[in-house]
């Protein structure tokens, strides 16, 4: 009887430890899922910010290209106004 009681006690301790193990494993997996979700979300926000910065810089480049084109056109018109005859002053 004493052996059966000890086995019952060990069995109950084993079940209790298994429950604790399962609970902790569940908690660790939940924490890992939260971390993965937030890291994915952080990556998405970073990509969005990089995309916004890229779009802003692209707009600046387009504006600068437009200004360059306008200046080239102005230079062409000014060159066309210069009389080509009578170069020697």
């Amino acid at each position: 009887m004493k052996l059966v009681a000890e086995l019952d006690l060990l069995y109950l301790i084993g079940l209790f430890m298994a429950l604790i193990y399962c609970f902790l494993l569940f908690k660790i997996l939940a924490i890992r899922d939260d971390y993965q979700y937030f890291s994915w979300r952080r990556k998405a926000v970073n990509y969005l910010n990089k995309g916004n910065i890229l779009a802003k810089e692209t707009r600046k480049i387009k504006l600068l290209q437009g200004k360059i084109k306008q200046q080239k056109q102005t230079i062409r018109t000014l060159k066309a106004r210069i009389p080509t005859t009578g170069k020697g002053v």
Side-chain angles (χ1 to χ4, degrees):
M1 275 307 194
K2 190 175 184 182
L3 180 63
V4 172
E6 285 181 21
L7 287 177
D8 286 342
L9 183 63
L10 289 174
Y11 180 74
L12 289 175
I13 290 173
L15 282 177
F16 182 70
M17 290 178 71
L19 286 174
I20 291 174
Y21 175 77
C22 289
F23 176 74
L24 291 177
L25 186 64
F26 174 75
K27 282 295 187 185
I28 289 171
L29 290 177
I31 290 170
R32 191 187 80 185
D33 288 343
D34 288 345
Y35 174 75
Q36 286 177 346
Y37 170 73
F38 286 114
S39 70
W40 173 85
R41 190 173 174 192
R42 186 173 48 249
K43 286 178 187 176
V45 169
N46 286 341
Y47 286 133
L48 180 65
N49 288 338
K50 287 178 184 176
N52 289 341
I53 291 170
L54 183 63
K56 184 178 176 184
E57 296 302 320
T58 303
R59 281 193 299 271
K60 285 182 183 177
I61 290 171
K62 296 278 185 191
L63 286 173
L64 289 174
Q65 286 174 344
K67 287 181 181 179
I68 291 170
K69 201 181 262 188
Q70 186 179 9
Q71 288 174 354
K72 284 182 179 179
Q73 183 64 33
T74 306
I75 291 170
R76 274 191 232 117
T77 56
L78 290 174
K79 279 183 178 179
R81 287 186 188 173
I82 299 173
T84 53
T85 59
K87 287 186 180 179
V89 177

